[in-house]
Amino acid sequence: MANEIRDAFNVVYADGPVSSPTQPPKDEIRAIGSVIQGSVDGLDTRVAAVEGAVGGLPGQIEDLTERVDEVEALAIAGIKWTTQRIEARSTANVDLATGLVNGQTLNGVTVQTGLFYFIGSQTNPAQNGIYPGVAAGASARATFADSADELAHVGFVLQAGTVGTGERWTLPMAAADITVGTTPLVFAETGIEPGYAAEVEAARGGEPSLGDRLDDVDDDLLLLNPLLGKIGNDTLYIDGQRVLGGFEDSNGFMPLVVLDDGTVLAPTLQLNDAEPQFYFGKRIIGGFKDTDGRYPLAVHSNGMVYIPNLRFDTTDLEFTEAQIEDPLLSLLRSNLILPSKDIAAYGDSLTAAMATYLTTAFSDRTVYNRGIGGQRANQIAMRQGGKGFTATASGNQIVSGANTITHFNGVAITGSAGIAATVVNNQPLSTAADNTTRTMSVVWCGITGTVERTASGAPSATTEAYSFTPDGGQTLPVTCPPDSPMIVQTQADAARSFIWWSGRNSRDLNNWSVVDDVKLMLARQSVAKPRGAILSIINGEYATEYAGGSDYIKLTAANAELAAAFPDNYVDVRRYLIDRGLAALSITPTAQDLIDIGNDIVPDSLRIDNVHLTNAAYNLVALYVKATIFTPNGW
C-alpha cells in the first residue's frame, strides 16, 4: 500500500466551510470503503504468498537437521588422517600376489618397494585397503592399517596417479563393525585436497605427477623470466634474443643476463683490484658484489667462475632428461652448478656393505664405495676432506721417498685395537676392523703426495704406521713444521652426488651427535647445488639402545638433529626398517622380531648380528634411499 487510505481520509475530512465544517458528503465517505477493501484484498494475496514460502521450510529444516547429524557423527568418530604418504589408487581389481611387486604399473605410477598404495576396487571388497610395494611376492596390508582400530575412519590423500591425484579418501566405518579380511571395506571419497585444483591436474599434462612433467633441473634453478629492468612473468627478449637466465638483485633488476645466442650482458661488471678478497683460497679478480658484501658472481685468479645461484629459464623448453643431458645438464655439472650423477658413498661398515646394492639400485651410475668398517663420524669427515686436521713428519721435513708420519692433530700414532678415543679418532684411515693397506691423496706443506696406512696384528689391528710419499717433479726437501695442515684431495668426490651413513661407531663421542661432522662434509662439496642422502643412525641389539635406554635417548636425539639440519637430504632408514622392513620383504615376523620391534630396534630377521644387516635388508635400504630422495627430486 502507498498511503491510499490516509489520502482518502484527508480528502473527505478536509477542513470544510464554516457553515458545515464536519459534514463531508456521504458519497465521498463511501468511496473510502473501496480503497480500504482493495488494500485488504492486496494484503491477503501477499500473506498467502508468504505462507506458501514458509510452508516449504519444515522439509528444508528437516533435511538440514539430517545433514548436521551426519557432520556431528563424523566429528565424533573423527577422520584419522594418516601421516604416511599414499602414492596412488587402483582403478580395477589388483592381484595382490603379483600386482604390487617393484616395477609394476598401477594407475600410471611405477610401483616401488616400501611405498604405499590404496587398493580400493577389489572384486572382493574385504581385500580393500592400503598396501606397500614389495620387492617380490605377495603384498600384505600396511602395518599401520591392518587392524580394525587402525582402519576405522582412516583418512588419506592420494599423491599421484593418472586419475585421482589429490583425492581425499576415508573408511566411514567404526572399529566394532570391521573384521579384517571378512568385512567388505567400502572407502568413500570426501573431496579434493587444497593444492590439487583443476589447474594443477592440467599442469601435469596427463603425467602421473608434476615431478614426471618436470625436467631434471633442480627447482632452485628454474628461472623467473628475467628482464634488464623489472622482472615480469613473460618470456622476454633483448635485441631479438630470448633471455635464458641471469641474476635478480634486491631491487628486482638484472645485473647480469645470458641470451640464447650465448651473449652475456653485464652492464655493471667491476674489477676488484683495490681490495683483493679470497674464496676457497683463490683471489677474486672480478665479479659482482651485492649489498650484503657477498658475491653472486666471482672470477677467481685461476680462471674459475663462481656462480652460486645461477638460474635458468626453461619455460619454453620441453626437453626430456635424455634431450637435456648434453645441452644443459652437462654444462651445469662441468661448471660445478650441479653434481655429477655418480655417487660417492661415505660411511662405516654399514655403508661398505650397502654399496654393492647401491650399484644395483643406481644401475645407470658409478657408485664409489668409501665405507671403512669401525670408523667414527669424525674420521669419515677427515678423509672425505670436510674436517681439517694436522700431521707431523719425522724430522719436521719432507724428503723424497716415504716420510714417516708421527702424529695426527698432535696425538702420536699407535695401534687401533680398542679404538682408543684420543688416538684412533685422529687417524683418518684407521680402523680396528682390519689390517687393510689404505691410501689417500693430500697436499702437505705445499707438497702433493700420498698418505699410506699399514697395519698388523690380529686383527683387530694392534700396530699401525702412516707414511707420506711425495709425487715426482717437486722441489725437495722442504721444511714441514709440527702440526702442519694436511689437505685431503677429494675434488672428484666433492663434485659427485653423495650418500652418507655415519655415526654408528660414535656412541662414546658427543652423545652420539654427528651433525657437526656432517655439516663439514656438506661444506666440502664443491658444487653450488649438492644432491644426496644423509641416513639415520640405527640402534642395535644392546640393552642401553632399547627404547628408553640411555644410548637410545642420545641416538634418537642425534637423528633428530640430522633431520632438522638436513630436511631435504635426511632419510630415516632406522624407522623404515623397524616399521616396514619385514613387510617390504614379505617376511612373517618371528617371536624375536616382535620383541625387537617392541624394543624399537631393527628386527632380528633383518640382521646378521647385533647391528649389521642381511643382504636383503641392505638392498632394501638402497632402494628406499633411491625412492625417497633421488627419484622424487629428479636427481
Side-chain angles (χ1 to χ4, degrees):
M1 294 181 289
N3 303 321
E4 294 94 337
I5 297 174
R6 185 194 66 188
D7 292 344
F9 274 98
N10 287 340
V11 170
V12 172
Y13 291 101
D15 293 338
V18 176
S19 61
S20 182
T22 62
Q23 297 182 11
K26 292 181 180 180
D27 60 337
E28 293 183 1
I29 294 175
R30 287 193 296 270
I32 295 175
S34 298
V35 174
I36 294 174
Q37 184 64 50
S39 297
V40 171
D41 290 344
L43 182 60
D44 287 342
T45 301
R46 295 169 65 189
V47 169
V50 171
E51 288 176 342
V54 173
L57 288 179
Q60 296 180 39
I61 291 172
E62 183 178 356
D63 180 61
L64 287 173
T65 300
E66 292 177 357
R67 295 170 64 186
V68 169
D69 289 342
E70 292 176 358
V71 173
E72 288 178 343
L74 185 60
I76 292 171
I79 295 179
K80 299 179 296 187
W81 296 104
T82 180
T83 58
Q84 298 288 350
R85 175 187 170 97
I86 310 302
E87 299 300 318
R89 66 174 171 89
S90 62
T91 57
N93 187 72
V94 174
D95 183 354
L96 297 177
T98 58
L100 290 176
V101 173
N102 187 70
Q104 294 284 2
T105 299
L106 179 76
N107 188 8
V109 173
T110 300
V111 173
Q112 297 185 44
T113 302
L115 302 187
F116 296 102
Y117 305 88
F118 169 41
I119 305 302
S121 305
Q122 293 300 90
T123 304
N124 177 7
Q127 294 180 340
N128 289 342
I130 301 172
Y131 292 78
V134 295
S139 178
R141 293 182 185 274
T143 56
F144 64 85
D146 62 355
S147 69
D149 287 337
E150 292 168 332
L151 284 166
H153 302 291
V154 68
F156 49 89
V157 178
L158 301 178
Q159 302 298 318
T162 301
V163 295
T165 301
E167 291 178 350
R168 291 171 168 169
W169 287 80
T170 186
L171 180 61
M173 299 177 66
D177 299 327
I178 299 174
T179 300
V180 178
T182 301
T183 305
L185 303 179
V186 181
F187 288 74
E189 182 186 352
T190 61
I192 298 293
E193 181 76 359
Y196 289 89
E199 58 267 26
V200 178
E201 293 283 343
R204 286 169 45 222
E207 296 290 347
S209 68
L210 284 173
D212 291 334
R213 183 70 167 165
L214 297 176
D215 295 323
D216 185 15
V217 178
D218 193 281
D219 288 343
D220 291 336
L221 297 175
L222 298 178
L223 186 66
L224 39 82
N225 299 307
L227 172 66
L228 279 178
K230 286 292 182 181
I231 295 175
N233 293 321
D234 299 322
T235 302
L236 300 171
Y237 294 80
I238 297 176
D239 293 334
Q241 298 292 328
R242 188 166 69 90
V243 175
L244 291 180
F247 299 95
E248 176 190 6
D249 64 20
S250 57
N251 296 316
F253 290 86
M254 301 294 292
L256 181 143
V257 169
V258 180
L259 304 181
D260 61 2
D261 67 348
T263 301
V264 178
L265 302 181
T268 59
L269 182 66
Q270 298 177 358
L271 295 180
N272 193 36
D273 293 332
E275 299 178 1
Q277 297 191 24
F278 295 82
Y279 189 84
F280 281 129
K282 301 293 190 299
R283 186 167 68 88
I284 296 175
I285 61 173
F288 299 97
K289 192 172 184 179
D290 63 22
T291 54
D292 296 321
R294 296 175 299 189
Y295 283 86
L297 181 147
V299 181
H300 293 177
S301 57
N302 66 349
M304 291 291 292
V305 179
Y306 177 69
I307 311 177
N309 293 305
L310 183 63
R311 300 181 178 185
F312 291 85
D313 173 15
T314 60
T315 304
D316 297 335
L317 304 179
E318 295 294 339
F319 290 141
T320 63
E321 179 173 338
Q323 292 171 319
I324 203 171
E325 179 70 31
D326 285 334
L328 181 55
L329 292 183
S330 293
L331 174 65
L332 295 176
R333 288 166 178 152
S334 64
N335 286 279
L336 300 181
I337 305 302
L338 294 180
S340 74
K341 295 188 70 172
D342 294 339
I343 295 172
Y346 276 85
D348 49 35
S349 57
L350 297 174
T351 304
M354 178 182 60
T356 298
Y357 302 97
L358 289 175
T359 300
T360 302
F362 295 91
S363 58
D364 59 335
R365 315 175 187 219
T366 300
V367 176
Y368 295 87
N369 186 353
R370 308 301 191 203
I372 297 180
Q375 283 209 320
R376 293 171 172 172
N378 62 314
Q379 292 177 282
I380 296 167
M382 289 168 68
R383 60 184 174 84
Q384 183 261 357
K387 188 164 189 170
F389 60 95
T390 65
T392 300
S394 177
N396 298 327
Q397 67 172 351
I398 297 175
V399 299
S400 298
N403 294 262
T404 299
I405 301 173
T406 61
H407 296 72
F408 284 112
N409 289 335
V411 179
I413 294 172
T414 186
S416 60
I419 315 184
T422 58
V423 177
V424 179
N425 286 342
N426 295 292
Q427 298 174 192
L429 299 177
S430 291
T431 176
D434 59 48
N435 293 335
T436 302
T437 296
R438 291 189 173 88
T439 62
M440 62 182 181
S441 297
V442 302
V443 174
W444 190 26
C445 294
I447 302 299
T448 301
T450 301
V451 170
E452 180 179 78
R453 173 257 190 183
T454 58
S456 60
S460 298
T462 55
T463 302
E464 287 195 313
Y466 280 80
S467 63
F468 172 75
T469 301
D471 294 343
Q474 302 177 89
T475 301
L476 298 168
V478 299
T479 299
C480 191
D483 294 325
S484 292
M486 182 174 278
I487 311 302
V488 180
Q489 300 298 286
T490 53
Q491 290 90 335
D493 282 352
R496 293 175 175 130
S497 301
F498 63 86
I499 295 176
W500 299 333
W501 197 2
S502 64
R504 175 55 240 179
N505 299 306
S506 298
R507 61 185 298 173
D508 58 347
L509 292 176
N510 302 320
N511 292 321
W512 286 89
S513 177
V514 300
V515 67
D516 289 340
D517 290 320
V518 179
K519 285 180 178 178
L520 291 173
M521 294 175 70
L522 190 60
R524 175 65 183 91
Q525 296 299 102
S526 60
V527 295
K529 300 291 181 182
R531 292 175 167 181
I534 297 169
L535 279 57
S536 64
I537 308 168
I538 61 173
N539 48 333
E541 178 65 37
Y542 304 101
T544 59
E545 296 180 23
Y546 294 168
S550 57
D551 282 310
Y552 175 90
I553 294 171
K554 297 172 184 177
L555 181 148
T556 52
N559 281 337
E561 287 182 332
L562 289 174
F566 312 105
D568 297 329
N569 309 96
Y570 180 72
V571 184
D572 195 350
V573 295
R574 189 190 80 89
R575 188 79 272 146
Y576 173 68
L577 290 171
I578 296 171
D579 292 347
R580 294 187 272 163
L582 294 175
L585 293 174
S586 300
I587 296 175
T588 301
T590 65
Q592 184 59 49
D593 289 333
L594 296 176
I595 292 172
D596 291 342
I597 292 171
N599 288 327
D600 206 29
I601 66 172
V602 176
D604 180 72
S605 293
L606 300 181
R607 291 184 283 108
I608 60 173
D609 57 24
N610 287 21
V611 173
H612 298 92
L613 306 179
T614 64
N615 289 339
Y618 280 124
N619 185 51
L620 193 63
V621 170
L623 292 172
Y624 185 62
V625 169
K626 181 179 181 181
T628 55
I629 293 293
F630 285 83
T631 299
N633 289 305
W635 292 353

